[in-house]
Amino acid sequence: MQIEKNNQINRLGWIEVICGSMFSGKTEELIRRLKRARIARQKVEIFKPGIDKRYDEVNVVSHDENAILSTPVESASQILLLTNDVDVVGIDEAQFFDNELPAVCNTLAAHGIRVIVAGLDMDYLGKPFGPMPELIAMAEDVMKVHAICMNCGDLAQFTHRKVEDNHLVMLGTTDTYEPLCRRCYYEKMKQQGSGQSS
Ligand code: ZN
């Protein structure tokens, strides 16, 4: 990382988190903020975990295909190695990163970089997901975005897995997952619980 060379050392960095369930528009919000920064001629760099190969190798593609170029990385510490002369770092699908990610974001912010992190705050079991709780705790600003419950139309913050599979990381789209509100999520989990041992 060569950011010490720049004049950014005197500027204050910070951490923003955009969290919510699947289909809540997290990536769209991340892209909106990054595009706005780019309009102001700020240098923007985006990273996502190498695990997420659903849509495109190089692009962060949101569900409305509003794409921005990004770099897939295998570990959080790689972000420090690859960050060069930037004002803003975007991190998508942050829940899939290892537990080094909060420390990496802290280091970037300490070097005057604005860090915008987007990720699922809960896994399909309704538990805090990966490094997200720590990031939410240390961020200057947290935005929780909501999807619409596919069952009743209320605001949804849970991601319900429609198929039986106990792997924590299982990529998928609307065939596999649906956003649900608290009431509908726990009702469905109870129904599934009678057939599932976990
Ligand atoms: Zn509902």
Side-chain angles (χ1 to χ4, degrees):
M1 191 167 58
Q2 296 176 333
I3 41 194
E4 287 88 350
K5 284 203 301 197
N6 306 311
N7 57 358
Q8 293 168 336
I9 198 77
N10 293 322
R11 236 182 40 203
L12 278 179
W14 69 88
I15 301 170
E16 297 162 37
V17 172
I18 303 158
C19 62
S21 67
M22 283 182 78
F23 316 110
S24 61
K26 299 181 297 296
T27 302
E28 288 86 346
E29 176 62 19
L30 173 68
I31 289 172
R32 187 185 74 83
R33 295 186 192 185
L34 292 171
K35 283 192 167 168
R36 214 173 42 173
R38 271 211 308 217
I39 288 168
R41 295 210 178 80
Q42 295 186 337
K43 285 193 184 158
V44 171
E45 197 146 352
I46 304 151
F47 299 97
K48 65 176 181 182
I51 192 173
D52 187 12
K53 297 191 166 87
R54 270 174 303 179
Y55 304 105
D56 198 294
E57 287 287 320
V58 196
N59 288 336
V60 167
V61 181
S62 65
H63 296 267
D64 68 0
E65 300 193 342
N66 204 354
I68 274 198
L69 284 177
S70 83
T71 312
V73 288
E74 294 305 320
S75 69
S77 55
Q78 261 191 294
I79 295 174
L80 291 179
L81 297 173
L82 296 170
T83 300
N84 253 321
D85 185 26
V86 290
D87 304 295
V88 186
V89 165
I91 298 167
D92 200 20
E93 302 287 357
Q95 76 279 355
F96 290 143
F97 275 100
D98 52 85
N99 289 330
E100 287 298 303
L101 188 62
V104 165
C105 292
N106 252 344
T107 303
L108 293 171
H111 286 88
I113 293 173
R114 176 187 178 196
V115 186
I116 313 173
V117 182
L120 285 170
D121 44 13
M122 288 188 281
D123 62 24
Y124 76 105
L125 294 170
K127 302 260 165 44
F129 207 150
M132 291 302 290
E134 207 175 326
L135 283 162
I136 287 167
M138 66 211 293
E140 269 84 352
D141 182 77
V142 177
M143 177 188 269
K144 184 146 178 160
V145 287
H146 295 87
I148 300 296
C149 176
M150 290 192 50
N151 205 42
C152 75
D154 277 351
L155 286 181
Q157 82 261 35
F158 292 92
T159 304
H160 176 245
R161 183 179 286 178
K162 294 193 278 184
V163 294
E164 283 195 23
D165 186 310
N166 292 331
H167 293 98
L168 181 61
V169 175
M170 185 179 142
L171 300 174
T173 53
T174 41
D175 306 335
T176 329
Y177 295 101
E178 62 184 352
L180 292 176
C181 72
R182 178 180 295 276
R183 188 174 45 115
C184 298
Y185 175 77
Y186 282 110
E187 264 170 29
K188 288 216 179 181
M189 289 297 272
K190 221 173 11 180
Q191 286 165 17
Q192 281 184 335
S194 45
Q196 238 175 19
S197 54
S198 69

